[in-house]
Amino acid sequence: QVSFLDVGQGDAAVVELPDGRVMIIDGGGFASQDFDTGEAILAPFLWGRKIGRVDIVVMSHPQLDHYGGLLYIAEHFSPSELWFNGEQTQGERFGKLMEVVKRKGIQLRILCREAPPPVLRDVSLQILHPPCHNSSLDTNNASLVLRLSYGTTDMLFTGDIETEGETTLLAAATAFPSEILKVPHHGSRTSSSPAFVRTTTPAVAIASLGAD
């Protein structure tokens, strides 16, 4: 079961895997220090689903509206691994997240296209982007792009890739049709090019965005 949470301008999805493990892909986040997306939105949803542990935390890229809520999850839900693209940032909350990761012994796992993907029982995982040597890509365009396949259903998580990231992805992958698409970059005009949409051919597209 995959649940996309309403975190305003940001991304957060909870993936409940067939073997009982739980994965969170991004955790939303607001610039305000008075509102913690992890505590106020993610945790109540998890508790409502009777989930007390998150096994895998995924950060598509280090921008606050994607990792802000993960700090609370790392502190209170005992994840064993944090997957990301290897990029770090100087943000205060990011620094605190890395401190918790180190203190709690959470394994940092860098994912990229050419490296062998982690193995998930009963679910196929593809790392479609970024390439392992991506120094020319900016933070958005270097977002992790994951494709989860279960049975006949494929789900594509795209982070904040824009035109450059989509072009790089399309040049490297022959096809990645996905029935469920997490719309890139909150539906920004810089993303979801005609070529990308034609290749993805989604039946359902989910955009997570704020007012205006």
Side-chain angles (χ1 to χ4, degrees):
Q1 175 163 314
V2 179
S3 304
F4 292 87
L5 304 188
D6 183 358
V7 292
Q9 185 74 22
D11 283 348
V14 176
V15 182
E16 298 173 59
L17 295 165
D19 63 4
R21 290 189 298 167
V22 175
M23 174 192 301
I24 287 185
I25 301 178
D26 286 334
F30 291 87
S32 169
Q33 296 299 315
D34 300 324
F35 187 87
D36 186 328
T37 306
E39 181 178 12
I41 300 176
L42 273 67
F45 174 83
L46 293 168
W47 291 325
R49 295 283 299 162
K50 306 298 189 290
I51 295 171
R53 174 187 172 87
V54 171
D55 300 276
I56 302 164
V57 170
V58 181
M59 176 174 58
S60 65
H61 63 300
Q63 287 188 331
L64 185 61
D65 59 338
H66 292 258
Y67 74 77
L70 298 180
L71 173 59
Y72 190 88
I73 299 302
E75 186 73 76
H76 294 92
F77 284 83
S78 306
S80 57
E81 297 186 34
L82 189 154
W83 300 351
F84 74 132
N85 64 2
E87 183 180 355
Q88 304 199 22
T89 185
Q90 299 301 313
E92 179 183 356
R93 194 171 295 187
F94 185 87
K96 291 180 179 178
L97 173 60
M98 291 297 106
E99 288 175 9
V100 172
V101 166
K102 183 176 180 180
R103 171 163 48 85
K104 290 189 170 286
I106 300 169
Q107 180 184 354
L108 281 175
R109 189 162 185 170
I110 297 175
L111 306 186
C112 55
R113 187 177 65 215
E114 293 83 6
V119 176
L120 298 175
R121 194 180 308 162
D122 300 321
V123 174
S124 173
L125 170 67
Q126 292 176 275
I127 312 299
L128 296 177
H129 189 76
C132 291
H133 303 287
N134 62 9
S135 57
S136 65
L137 297 172
D138 64 20
T139 295
N140 282 343
N141 283 304
S143 295
L144 275 178
V145 176
L146 310 181
R147 186 171 181 255
L148 293 176
S149 301
Y150 179 64
T152 59
T153 301
D154 306 296
M155 295 161 279
L156 191 65
F157 298 86
T158 57
D160 276 356
I161 57 169
E162 300 176 301
T163 302
E164 184 180 6
E166 290 181 3
T167 301
T168 303
L169 172 57
L170 290 167
T174 53
F176 43 91
S178 304
E179 287 77 14
I180 301 170
L181 169 67
K182 200 294 295 182
V183 174
H185 203 196
H186 320 288
S188 167
R189 66 171 62 91
T190 61
S191 305
S192 300
S193 63
F196 178 82
V197 175
R198 282 196 302 269
T199 300
T200 310
T201 62
V204 176
I206 295 158
S208 184
L209 61 156
D212 304 319

